Amino acid sequence: MTIIKLFLVLPVLFLFSTSCSETDQEPLDPVIEVPNTSNLGTNPPPKIITSEDSLCHTESVEQIDPAKFDQLLSIDLKNISNNILTELNRYRKTLGLPEFTPNRTAKFLALKHNKYQMQNNKINHEYSRYRSCTIIKLENATATGENVAIGYKTAKAVVQAWLNSPKHLKTIQRDFTRIGIATTKNKKGVYYYTNVFFK
């Protein structure tokens, strides 16, 4: 089921899970939230993954191949990704929270997920357990989270959308310390965003 929401500070936004268009749209709910299935259609995000998750003990993860990482880096819109980090850290500073520090593993996984989303023409949190378990195993993380969005053309616009959404805001306000930010654009000019957080 698609629900239309109106906000004063943004154009008409759509909460969706199965398709994308070239207009600005509300970011998909973050994975750290217990899903409210009444407004998330058929693709609610999974709950937070922690190092206590027993499935992470059996999940196989790949090591980061430098060549593959460089290939993924070539599709990242670095200026926007860097500006997103600046905007997020500026907001966290107003709350007295420590800044997010960029992390190579999280960046690789965020870019890999953005590529997957572009190939499937939709935003989603599919394979979030794989990303979480990879970070838990490779970085000795204790908890992970994720925000995604589509359609916004600037760092300021997408960060403001996340800050205007209580669930995404809660992700940004958590005690995560590391982040991987991916910003990519498909052939139609549609922007995709993935932020992978962990501590």
Side-chain angles (χ1 to χ4, degrees):
M1 178 173 72
T2 301
I3 295 178
I4 298 175
K5 292 184 175 182
L6 298 175
F7 292 89
L8 294 177
V9 295
L10 294 172
V12 177
L13 303 173
F14 300 92
L15 181 62
F16 73 105
S17 61
T18 57
S19 64
C20 70
S21 74
E22 296 183 36
T23 60
D24 285 353
Q25 299 186 25
E26 183 171 342
L28 199 65
D29 280 346
V31 297
I32 67 160
E33 294 299 318
V34 176
N36 175 358
T37 55
S38 65
N39 69 355
L40 294 180
T42 58
N43 188 23
K47 62 182 181 178
I48 189 168
I49 305 295
T50 70
S51 56
E52 304 301 315
D53 192 316
S54 61
L55 289 178
C56 276
H57 300 297
T58 57
E59 183 93 20
S60 62
V61 299
E62 66 177 311
Q63 297 296 318
I64 296 175
D65 178 347
K68 193 171 183 180
F69 184 59
D70 287 343
Q71 182 184 23
L72 286 170
L73 276 176
S74 71
I75 66 171
D76 187 45
L77 302 175
K78 293 172 186 62
N79 285 342
I80 296 178
S81 292
N82 290 338
N83 289 338
I84 288 172
L85 179 63
T86 299
E87 292 292 326
L88 290 173
N89 282 336
R90 180 180 292 132
Y91 172 76
R92 283 173 65 87
K93 188 175 180 180
T94 66
L95 302 179
L97 296 171
E99 292 187 348
F100 291 127
T101 302
N103 175 267
R104 182 179 172 86
T105 302
K107 177 81 170 185
F108 173 80
L109 294 169
L111 282 166
K112 189 173 177 181
H113 186 56
N114 257 22
K115 184 177 179 182
Y116 173 79
Q117 291 179 111
M118 289 193 302
Q119 288 170 341
N120 288 277
N121 227 21
K122 65 177 183 178
I123 63 168
N124 58 67
H125 288 292
E126 293 171 10
Y127 305 108
S128 62
R129 182 179 298 279
Y130 165 79
R131 288 186 292 283
S132 294
C133 292
T134 299
I135 289 173
I136 286 167
K137 286 187 172 184
L138 297 184
E139 297 289 342
N140 295 315
T142 57
T144 68
E146 183 175 286
N147 280 343
V148 298
I150 188 173
Y152 298 94
K153 293 181 172 66
T154 66
K156 195 162 279 193
V158 70
V159 170
Q160 193 60 55
W162 283 322
L163 296 179
N164 287 343
S165 166
K167 291 181 178 181
H168 297 87
L169 179 60
K170 190 178 281 189
T171 308
I172 293 165
Q173 292 176 340
R174 286 180 63 95
D175 59 347
F176 296 127
T177 57
R178 303 283 191 268
I179 192 171
I181 301 170
T183 306
T184 56
K185 185 168 64 170
N186 70 10
K187 292 177 181 177
K188 294 181 179 179
V190 179
Y191 291 78
Y192 287 78
Y193 302 91
T194 299
N195 287 356
V196 175
F197 307 86
F198 72 92
K199 63 175 181 174

